[in-house]
Amino acid sequence: MRLLAFSDLHRDTNAARKIVEASEEADVVIGAGDFATKGIGASETLKILATCHAPVLIVHGNHDAPGEIAALCARWPNVTYLHGTGVRIGGVDFFGVGGEVPKRKAYDWNTAHSEDEAARMLTACPAGAVLITHTPPLGTADLQKNGAHEGSAAIRDAITAHNAVLCLCGHIHASWGAGGQVGCAHVRNLGPVPNWFDIGARAGQ
């Protein structure tokens, strides 16, 4: 299975169109949040992404309003919104948790969840899943410009507890393109460009 993944479009319709073009070669398309900017304009990129040539799985980012994202995704049968929920495609489990974890920004538009809230949602993650999060795991692909790690401990711990095979994230712009390993999982902070991953179904699926 070939995965095409990205994050943090922030209303960039040209970048969204490039994702659609690339999706001709993909089995699944993954968007790791921030389709809007400061709560505005999510529909501008999502309506373009809905024309992808493969199923699209998304989580909300901290710039996105979860209710709006869920309502927009409900319009298109090939777009699935994940937040504390999962889906299986071609024998591969995908599970998503969106937003900023934990809350670090006090803006009204910022969508955030506590570490405890994220940990509770992540208990439902299937073993061996592809984990889609907006926030990176703490300590990996989460370095800010000032050198501070601003990832999530709950996401880091869930990766190892559930033997995730891949964690796809975004959020920390200074770490776009950065990757690393947590347990069995490769972690990648995606950014608003096509990223490619090959993954197989678990034995017996």
Side-chain angles (χ1 to χ4, degrees):
M1 177 181 288
R2 199 160 195 226
L3 309 181
L4 167 60
F6 64 94
S7 70
D8 302 282
L9 292 182
H10 290 292
R11 303 180 70 179
D12 188 336
T13 54
N14 289 330
R17 291 187 184 96
K18 290 178 182 177
I19 296 296
V20 173
E21 291 173 10
S23 72
E24 292 186 8
E25 306 297 325
D27 297 305
V28 177
V29 177
I30 292 170
D34 275 358
F35 306 94
T37 298
K38 298 182 179 180
I40 298 170
S43 63
E44 296 170 11
T45 48
L46 282 175
K47 68 182 179 182
I48 295 170
L49 294 168
T51 66
C52 279
H53 304 277
V56 181
L57 308 179
I58 71 168
V59 299
H60 67 267
N62 64 301
H63 281 253
D64 302 319
E68 179 189 16
I69 297 298
L72 287 168
C73 290
R75 298 180 183 179
W76 304 298
N78 66 319
V79 183
T80 302
Y81 170 57
L82 301 178
H83 184 55
T85 55
V87 65
R88 176 175 289 184
I89 300 173
V92 176
D93 287 310
F94 298 86
F95 191 88
V97 171
E100 181 181 63
V101 182
K103 183 176 183 178
R104 289 186 167 93
K105 299 176 181 66
Y107 304 115
D108 290 342
W109 50 262
N110 188 54
T111 298
H113 312 284
S114 71
E115 295 279 23
D116 287 344
E117 288 171 330
R120 285 194 294 271
M121 286 186 282
L122 285 160
T123 59
C125 181
V130 173
L131 184 57
I132 307 163
T133 62
H134 183 58
T135 302
L138 182 63
T140 305
D142 69 336
L143 274 178
Q144 287 284 17
K145 290 181 179 179
N146 64 2
H149 288 281
E150 292 196 352
S152 162
I155 292 170
R156 178 200 61 199
D157 294 347
I159 291 171
T160 55
H162 299 278
N163 294 314
V165 297
L166 186 62
C167 178
L168 303 175
C169 56
H171 185 47
I172 309 296
H173 294 198
S175 287
W176 282 348
Q181 197 79 14
V182 175
C184 298
H186 176 66
V187 177
R188 178 73 62 82
N189 187 321
L190 301 163
V193 296
N195 295 261
W196 292 98
F197 306 89
D198 292 306
I199 189 167
R202 288 180 291 164
Q205 298 297 325

